[in-house]
Amino acid sequence: MVNSILQRYLQFIKRRLPPETEGPVIGLDLTESSCRAVELSLVKDRYELVRCFCSTMAGQDEKSVLKELVSGWQPDMTERDVLVALSGRGTLVRYLDMPRMPAKELRRAMAIEADKYLPFPKDTIHMDTVILDPHGTGRRMTVLVAAAKKEIVEARQKFFREGAVSLAGMTMGPVALANAFLVFSPDPEGRGPGAQAIVHVGEVISTLLIMMREGPRFSRDIFMGSQDVVRAFGNIQGVSLAEAWGVMDRPRQDEGGGDLAQAAKPMISNLIGEVRLSLDYFATEKNVMIERVVLTGPGSMLPGIVGAFEDRLGLPALSWDPFEQIQISDPTVRETVRQRGPAFVLALGLAVGGYDQG
């Protein structure tokens, strides 16, 4: 079971339209600080958001939040394909420049030479590769290599199995983010900039993804996010962590006044500094200049964050909400994503990836 899931997850990086109808797929973005899920269906070539779920971990643990999710999901979640993501320490996504070779030969080569490219002993990880430019004619090719420690994969599988969730697939956070962007780009028909920095501002881990028109070319987990803001905001207002999370979880963080903006400034400044380092590295290594920054994720709704990125990086920046492109029939679901859309991006990318397994 472990191998069958891990061997498939990199297929999610590509978009292939499924048959005319498919059963609904659930993308489940569960972290140590929050749980978000979306159920996506597709009829012909139109995606529809069927339902969604959002909860923070304030005063709760993962097991209780997962139980709340499963018990409240109708129809039964066990009748749906559920896909989840791995991220953080013990996982790795790298982009390698290698001599062009067929995919089968690449897998054989990586099985032998994995230690040359990865910091983990090869017998302790699950690993997969995908050629990002499979139709290229040059002598070199770009390869995405992803790896996760076996103990992490097996622990997550055990957790979901005990929570009555049957996993249909597992992928990496940056892969889910890339998939969401490829399918629901803010620039339809590929008319956007040639190189963009997608910054998913999470609660604990933020993800930087550099997208070219051909697909992803760089990603990095940055260990900071809106959880740092919650702590600072709670200290400023003299409230508990649970109460501070309550303000952060309100629509678009439109409450909290100037205190929330003040609490957010240090994290935003530090995050921009880390993003700048990576953009400079990418520009030097690849001789490619980033043309725009796209912000998404729960922390992208913090006051002042878009303007701060524009000012500090000297690049155009925008907030990306992919749900503006998705059909939503249920008025309650529509209102939820209208208020919190960017927070569901990773869950959306996971659900879209579920249609890519055919």
Side-chain angles (χ1 to χ4, degrees):
M1 179 65 173
V2 173
N3 285 333
S4 66
I5 288 175
L6 267 291
Q7 286 168 1
R8 293 189 306 182
Y9 65 61
L10 287 182
Q11 295 178 20
F12 299 171
I13 205 73
K14 297 180 182 179
R15 180 187 181 188
R16 294 199 309 271
L17 287 179
E20 286 197 359
T21 59
E22 289 275 356
V25 176
I26 296 172
L28 175 53
D29 176 22
L30 179 64
T31 71
E32 62 186 73
S33 60
S34 68
C35 177
R36 295 182 178 89
V38 301
E39 182 174 324
L40 207 63
S41 67
L42 188 141
V43 179
K44 296 185 179 179
D45 61 349
R46 185 71 183 270
Y47 287 100
E48 178 174 0
L49 182 63
V50 179
R51 57 181 55 83
C52 61
F53 173 88
C54 178
S55 178
T56 64
M57 296 294 181
Q60 304 183 82
D61 58 21
E62 280 189 328
K63 287 185 178 180
S64 60
V65 171
L66 185 63
K67 183 178 180 180
E68 177 188 354
L69 167 65
V70 172
S71 63
W73 204 272
Q74 298 297 330
D76 193 340
M77 183 174 280
T78 60
E79 300 175 7
R80 300 287 187 260
D81 287 340
V82 180
L83 296 104
V84 299
L86 299 171
S87 62
R89 294 180 175 87
T91 68
L92 183 68
V93 177
R94 284 195 172 165
Y95 303 79
L96 306 178
D97 177 66
M98 300 184 70
R100 187 165 295 280
M101 65 185 78
K104 288 184 179 180
E105 185 177 336
L106 170 65
R107 288 192 174 91
R108 286 196 296 268
M110 287 301 300
I112 297 170
E113 301 181 6
D115 293 341
K116 177 179 176 181
Y117 300 105
L118 304 175
F120 311 129
K122 61 185 178 184
D123 60 343
T124 67
I125 60 172
H126 292 291
M127 178 185 67
D128 204 354
T129 60
V130 64
I131 300 171
L132 292 177
D133 53 346
H135 304 298
T137 57
R139 295 183 177 181
R140 312 287 296 181
M141 63 183 185
T142 303
V143 176
L144 188 155
V145 180
K149 287 188 174 181
K150 291 179 179 179
E151 62 196 66
I152 294 175
V153 175
E154 291 159 5
R156 294 313 277 171
Q157 284 193 297
K158 181 175 183 289
F159 171 78
F160 285 110
R161 186 169 57 249
E162 292 176 348
V165 174
S166 178
L167 296 183
M170 190 178 293
T171 186
M172 297 296 202
V175 175
L177 181 59
N179 202 58
F181 194 82
L182 286 168
V183 178
F184 302 110
S185 167
D187 305 294
E189 300 178 9
R191 292 194 294 265
Q196 305 182 67
I198 320 304
V199 183
H200 181 274
V201 188
E203 282 104 355
V204 179
I205 300 174
S206 295
T207 299
L208 168 64
L209 175 73
I210 295 181
M211 294 289 294
M212 307 287 286
R213 286 197 177 95
E214 302 81 10
R217 288 298 182 269
F218 176 91
S219 58
R220 176 193 171 194
D221 285 338
I222 302 172
F223 289 85
M224 63 181 71
S226 59
Q227 180 171 274
D228 303 310
V229 179
V230 171
R231 293 195 183 100
F233 179 72
N235 291 335
I236 291 171
Q237 292 219 329
V239 299
S240 68
L241 191 60
E243 290 173 304
W245 269 118
V247 173
M248 287 292 295
D249 195 43
R250 290 178 187 135
R252 303 283 180 179
Q253 281 98 58
D254 56 359
E255 300 185 35
D259 285 349
L260 184 55
Q262 179 184 344
K265 282 183 179 179
M267 187 282 291
I268 293 173
S269 178
N270 291 336
L271 179 60
I272 292 172
E274 292 297 322
V275 169
R276 180 193 292 277
L277 289 174
S278 293
L279 299 190
D280 289 345
Y281 166 81
F282 185 81
T284 301
E285 288 292 310
K286 305 297 183 183
N287 195 28
V288 174
M289 299 303 296
I290 302 301
E291 299 174 45
R292 185 173 72 181
V293 177
V294 178
L295 293 161
T296 193
S300 70
M301 297 179 285
L302 288 166
I305 190 169
V306 175
F309 267 82
E310 285 190 327
D311 293 343
R312 289 275 304 277
L313 297 180
L315 293 169
L318 61 85
S319 178
W320 171 48
D321 182 353
F323 291 95
E324 296 171 355
Q325 305 177 46
I326 299 174
Q327 179 176 323
I328 307 173
S329 300
D330 188 306
T332 302
V333 175
R334 188 186 308 119
E335 181 63 15
T336 298
V337 297
R338 184 191 69 80
Q339 296 171 344
R340 301 181 176 90
F344 289 94
V345 164
L346 281 188
L348 177 65
L350 289 165
V352 169
Y355 285 104
D356 224 22
Q357 298 182 45

